[in-house]
Every structure is written in C-alpha cells, then in structure tokens.
C-alpha cells in the first residue's frame, strides 16, 4: 500500500518533506508525491467533499492525500482542518488555518492533521483519549493540545487492521525548518 500525495495551491517544500517522512517513518507506508493539482486556481474557500470528489482516484490498493493551502469547509462547519473519505481512500488536509507565523508550530500542527486524516483512511474513528491525535479538533487550540501520535488503543486498532505503525518513531521538526 502506498500513500499518493497530491498538492493543491502553494505548498512549501518543507511541508511536502514532512508529509513524506510521517507516512514512511511513522506510519510505515510508502509515500509518493504525485504532483500538483490544477483546480480552484482563483478560489480561496473550497468545499472539502467536492474537492475530494473531483480529484482522481488513487491507484488500486493505494490511498490519496491532498495537501492544500486552500481554506476548506463542509456544510454545518465554518472550516475544516481536514476531511477523509475512507470508502474512497481519499483525504485532504488544509494548512490554511494552521498558519501562525511560527514555522515550527505550523509543522507540528500539519503533522497532527496528516496523521489524523490518514488514521481515518486506515479505519480509525475519532477517539476520546486526551492527547490522542484521533481526537476531534474544533479549533487550532485543540490541535495544539493533542499529540501527533496515536494513543495505545488506536495503535492496537491499527495493528488489528494490519498496519505496523512505528511506536518509537521520533518526529524532529527542526530538520524541516531550513528547507525553504
């Protein structure tokens, strides 16, 4: 299984490197950047479900992760950090509302949202365990409160589903700070 990473909008190179490293280093899956998507060029706010409906299908057995600078939303929500469609094997993560002007914090937030949405694609639901990356976040403050890793219960659920997450993986955000 491979995670195909597609980019929409202006995505900094360090965000791309971080995404690949999380997929390969922590989740233990192969990652391939498949390129830039040429859609929604003039729109800043994008309906997340419509975006995922319009992007191409992942190759058989793979999953598709779209990383975007666009502000995404869903009916009933003013905004989303991400959205996953497990049945379609597609997810989108927006860093639009994760930006704060401090690159280290932005990278940490992005890591959390990538792991969260890929967790959904891997079969996980939201988790009530404090600090678990699968906990629902309704604000950037709630994103900041959680870890970028799965809790023990979510790790066990992933193992039951056949995934081998690397429990001891350490995410070193500082290695991405000078990649601009």
């Amino acid at each position: 299984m491979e995670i195909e990473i597609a980019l929409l909008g202006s995505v900094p190179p360090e965000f791309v490197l971080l995404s690949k490293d999380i997929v390969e280093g922590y989740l233990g899956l192969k990652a391939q950047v498949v390129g830039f998507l040429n859609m929604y060029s003039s729109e800043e706010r994008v309906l997340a479900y419509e975006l995922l409906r319009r992007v191409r299908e992942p190759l058989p057995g793979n999953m598709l992760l779209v990383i975007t600078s666009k502000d995404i939303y869903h009916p009933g929500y003013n905004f989303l950090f991400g959205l996953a469609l497990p049945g379609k094997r597609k997810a989108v993560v927006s860093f639009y509302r994760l930006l704060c002007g401090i690159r280290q914090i932005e990278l940490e937030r992005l890591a959390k949202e990538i792991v969260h949405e890929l967790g959904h694609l891997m079969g996980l639901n939201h988790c009530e365990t404090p600090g678990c990356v699968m906990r629902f976040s309704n604000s950037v403050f709630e994103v900041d409160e959680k870890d970028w890793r799965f809790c023990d219960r979510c790790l066990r659920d992933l193992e039951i589903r056949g995934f081998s997450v690397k429990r001891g993986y350490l995410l070193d955000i500082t290695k991405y700070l000078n990649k601009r």
Side-chain angles (χ1 to χ4, degrees), residues 5-12 15-16 19 36-37 39-40 43-48 51-52 55 65-73 80-83 91-99 110 114:
I5 301 172
L7 312 172
L8 175 61
S10 179
V11 181
F15 287 14
V16 179
S19 305
F36 286 89
L37 300 172
M39 50 199 282
Y40 301 111
E43 298 173 49
E44 278 303 310
R45 283 185 55 84
V46 176
L47 187 60
L51 184 157
L52 289 175
V55 297
L65 172 65
V66 178
I67 299 172
T68 185
S69 59
K70 303 291 184 183
D71 188 16
I72 60 173
Y73 70 100
L80 297 174
F81 299 118
L83 179 70
V92 59
V93 171
S94 167
F95 58 84
Y96 182 89
R97 292 181 184 262
L98 302 176
L99 300 177
L110 180 62
I114 289 169

Side-chain angles (χ1 to χ4, degrees), residues 133-145:
V133 73
M134 291 309 296
R135 194 168 174 102
F136 178 77
S137 298
N138 199 35
S139 71
V140 73
F141 304 108
E142 291 175 358
V143 172
D144 290 340
E145 288 177 350

Side-chain angles (χ1 to χ4, degrees), residues 165-180:
V165 175
K166 298 177 184 171
R167 292 177 182 252
Y169 180 76
L170 297 174
L171 181 61
D172 179 11
I173 293 293
T174 61
K175 76 179 193 178
Y176 308 103
L177 293 178
N178 297 318
K179 299 292 183 188
R180 291 182 179 202

